[in-house]
Amino acid sequence: MDNLCSSNGKKSFKLPEIKFTKLFVNGQFVDSVSGKRFETVNPATGEVIAKVAEGGEEDIDLAVKAAREAFDHGRWPRMSGFERGRIMSKFADLIEQNLEELAALDSVDAGKLLASGKTVDIPHCLHILRYYAGAADKIHGETLKLAGEYQGYTLLEPIGVVGHIIPWNYPSTMFLMKSSPALAAGCTMVIKPAEQTPLSALFYAHLAKQAGIPDGVINVVNGFGRTAGAALCSHMDVDAISFTGSTETGRLVMEAAARSNLKTVSLELGGKSPLIIFDDADVDMAVALARIAIFYNKGEICVAGSRVYVQEGIYDEFVRKAAESAKSWVVGDPFDPNVQQGPQVDKTQFERVLSYIELGKTEGATLLTGGRRCGDKGYYIEPTIFTDVKEEMRIAQEEIFGPVMSLMKFKTIEEAIEKANATRYGLAAGIVTKDLNTANRVTRSVRAGTIWINCYFAFDPGCPFGGYKMSGFGRDLGMHAINKYLQVKSVVTPLHSSPW
Ligand code: TXE
């Protein structure tokens, strides 16, 4: 059955009310200094949803000043971890009470499925925030046995003012994934959401204030990367930057940090993750996994399984079933509960994905299914599969960030490992096999920050997340993420009366 775009445009769903469109600085919603605003667009229709205050260098400076004051003289870094955790738990409760509205804001702003937002994204955000609320009173240093007549210990102190720069594919998750460990550590922060998806961040800022997070601890400055984002990375009073986005922009973030005050940097960048399917796999299960791995969230996922390697014994069956499976994947209005794939986030990404599809054809790959725009309104793209893809093709090397699967055949485990590692990226990889030895061997040999065996997208707040190679460095999630927001101070004292 070919039911692409079957639900697109047939019904109209109620869109959320837009309550917050200003910047959030020092606990207040304020206009930008320039008074400028920019449009945020609903990718399902191409229509403007709202005009949002556009922050620039001066707004970043005001937000950093507020965060600095809150860090240097405010309560947040000085209160007990237990108390911070208690307030963070209250923040989580308020998010839970507003779950539907938050999910709807991300749907209208980013084209994400409302049903996934309600059952996956926002519950995951709650889990993250509650995990770090529970961790806030478990941050402690070590006692050190030193040589000679000295003893020592370490103090773990919040690093200071943190700049978080987040992308548009997971506006809520990124907001909470970045802010929660920094809050637990006792930091204050300025968050620069992506210009495509400014809405939910402002709602979170509002709820944070209601929960009792003091003014100046969380500031949200919407605006563009080259202005607001760049100003945050170059600011002399920002102590750390945590960035998620493209590899190209990650390089600019590091350059800006190096040229200004050498603030610490952590980067979670793009990916071209391999999904390796061995002959012994259950083909139906493998097809289902491969479909989710690339078409979920319309392929706008840094860990999307965009390169699918299938062993030769099951290759033909896999190709046939994958094509059928892609054709039955329902594309349409993200507010429709029957839909599996919404629109790409904006016109730029939509055109970028379509241009990669054209490139795949000119490079000589075979278009198995999909490849076209869906409907004539909004930024929908058919789930697309290429076969006969070669490693050297750009569609096998570059992050497309859309619903485009590249299918490739392999013979041996050695070949699979070599091909899996043959990109500049190293964010994630999937393995489908019943053989434990195969799974273990591939796990040890593939250079990627996350390996999923017989599953995909299995995220948990306790599981560290980040990249090898040009997918970046530093880890979000898990207790590792808290370390990004801490300084280690060594304290040494003599055991006996001072030798001096
Ligand atoms: O990314 P950018 P874009 C990849 C994906 C996508 C491509 C381009 O392949 O197609 O990147 O997307 C801010 N200083 N990913 O152009 O530019 C920007 O405002 C400081 C993968 O949207 O990296 C936004 O908040 N900040 C990725 C954020 O960086 C700057 C998710 C991301 O935008 C800046 C998104 C600058 N000079 C895209 N320029 C993932 N890893 O999940 C931009 N920004």
Side-chain angles (χ1 to χ4, degrees), residues 166-168 192 194-195 225 229 243 245-246 249 269 302 349 352 399:
I166 61 179
W168 35 264
K192 209 296 280 172
E195 50 270 39
F243 172 81
S246 64
T249 302
L269 307 173
C302 48
Q349 292 299 320
R352 185 184 146 109
E399 186 176 51

Side-chain angles (χ1 to χ4, degrees), residues 7 30 43 46 69 97 108 111 141 145 173-174 187 192 199 216 258 266 301 311 319 332 357 402 410 429 438 464 474:
S7 93
V30 294
E69 176 63 22
Q97 286 163 27
V108 75
K145 196 166 170 231
T173 312
M174 288 296 157
C187 294
K192 209 296 280 172
L199 299 176
S266 61
I301 307 192
Q311 204 163 11
V319 168
I357 293 173
F410 71 92
T438 301

Side-chain angles (χ1 to χ4, degrees), residues 33-34 56-63 231:
V33 173
S34 69
E57 195 176 339
E58 288 166 297
D59 303 285
I60 289 289
D61 192 44
L62 289 172

Side-chain angles (χ1 to χ4, degrees), residues 74-149:
R75 287 188 297 129
W76 191 254
R78 288 163 191 82
M79 68 175 65
S80 69
F82 177 77
E83 183 64 7
R84 275 201 298 275
R86 205 183 55 77
I87 295 172
M88 288 169 70
S89 297
K90 188 153 180 225
F91 183 20
D93 294 344
L94 291 175
I95 294 172
E96 195 159 29
Q97 286 163 27
N98 291 276
L99 184 147
E100 298 234 355
E101 199 169 340
L102 288 161
L105 284 177
D106 282 350
S107 290
V108 75
D109 221 6
K112 296 172 70 70
L113 301 184
L114 180 66
S116 297
K118 290 197 293 191
T119 58
V120 182
D121 290 31
I122 311 292
H124 184 50
C125 291
L126 288 170
H127 196 174
I128 292 171
L129 184 51
R130 286 177 173 143
Y131 173 91
Y132 288 109
D137 60 358
K138 296 166 192 72
I139 298 168
H140 48 73
E142 308 151 284
T143 51
L144 306 168
K145 196 166 170 231
L146 304 178
E149 299 294 291

Side-chain angles (χ1 to χ4, degrees), residues 70-367:
F71 187 78
D72 289 347
H73 303 111
R75 287 188 297 129
W76 191 254
R78 288 163 191 82
M79 68 175 65
S80 69
F82 177 77
E83 183 64 7
R84 275 201 298 275
R86 205 183 55 77
I87 295 172
M88 288 169 70
S89 297
K90 188 153 180 225
F91 183 20
D93 294 344
L94 291 175
I95 294 172
E96 195 159 29
Q97 286 163 27
N98 291 276
L99 184 147
E100 298 234 355
E101 199 169 340
L102 288 161
L105 284 177
D106 282 350
S107 290
V108 75
D109 221 6
K112 296 172 70 70
L113 301 184
L114 180 66
S116 297
K118 290 197 293 191
T119 58
V120 182
D121 290 31
I122 311 292
H124 184 50
C125 291
L126 288 170
H127 196 174
I128 292 171
L129 184 51
R130 286 177 173 143
Y131 173 91
Y132 288 109
D137 60 358
K138 296 166 192 72
I139 298 168
H140 48 73
E142 308 151 284
T143 51
L144 306 168
K145 196 166 170 231
L146 304 178
E149 299 294 291
Y150 293 92
Q151 68 169 352
Y153 63 92
T154 58
L155 289 174
L156 300 185
E157 299 182 338
I159 200 163
V161 175
V162 180
H164 297 296
I165 298 182
I166 61 179
W168 35 264
N169 54 338
Y170 276 85
S172 288
T173 312
M174 288 296 157
F175 189 98
L176 273 315
M177 194 193 271
K178 298 286 187 201
S179 60
S180 305
L183 285 170
C187 294
T188 62
M189 62 206 73
V190 178
I191 302 176
K192 209 296 280 172
E195 50 270 39
Q196 295 87 344
T197 53
L199 299 176
S200 60
L202 298 171
F203 204 113
Y204 286 112
H206 162 73
L207 295 178
K209 182 171 170 113
Q210 305 298 306
I213 293 181
D215 292 352
V217 173
I218 294 181
N219 303 274
V220 178
V221 178
N222 274 304
F224 293 89
R226 266 174 292 169
T227 48
L232 190 56
C233 298
S234 302
H235 205 289
M236 294 298 287
D237 234 357
V238 171
D239 300 294
I241 285 277
S242 178
F243 172 81
T244 297
S246 64
T247 296
E248 290 65 31
T249 302
R251 203 188 288 274
L252 297 177
V253 169
M254 268 190 96
E255 278 174 16
R259 290 218 172 90
S260 53
N261 61 343
L262 291 170
K263 53 181 71 65
T264 68
V265 173
S266 61
L267 304 174
E268 195 265 277
L269 307 173
K272 194 76 189 174
S273 300
L275 173 61
I276 309 168
I277 300 166
F278 287 89
D279 275 345
D280 65 348
D282 175 319
V283 178
D284 292 329
M285 180 278 234
V287 166
L289 208 60
R291 182 169 86 159
I292 285 283
I294 187 63
F295 300 141
Y296 186 68
N297 205 49
K298 2 109 191 195
E300 291 173 348
I301 307 192
C302 48
V303 287
S306 47
R307 294 183 294 142
V308 179
Y309 293 99
V310 184
Q311 204 163 11
E312 58 183 356
I314 56 168
Y315 182 81
D316 292 340
E317 183 188 355
F318 186 94
V319 168
R320 186 170 44 75
K321 289 185 169 171
E324 284 163 16
S325 165
K327 284 179 188 154
S328 69
W329 187 248
V330 185
V331 182
D333 192 317
F335 280 80
D336 185 335
N338 299 313
V339 159
Q340 292 166 300
Q341 181 186 310
Q344 308 308 124
V345 73
D346 67 2
K347 193 161 181 275
T348 306
Q349 292 299 320
F350 169 75
E351 287 172 351
R352 185 184 146 109
V353 175
L354 288 177
S355 75
Y356 268 111
I357 293 173
E358 285 313 305
L359 178 68
K361 291 191 229 168
T362 55
E363 282 184 309
T366 304
L367 185 65

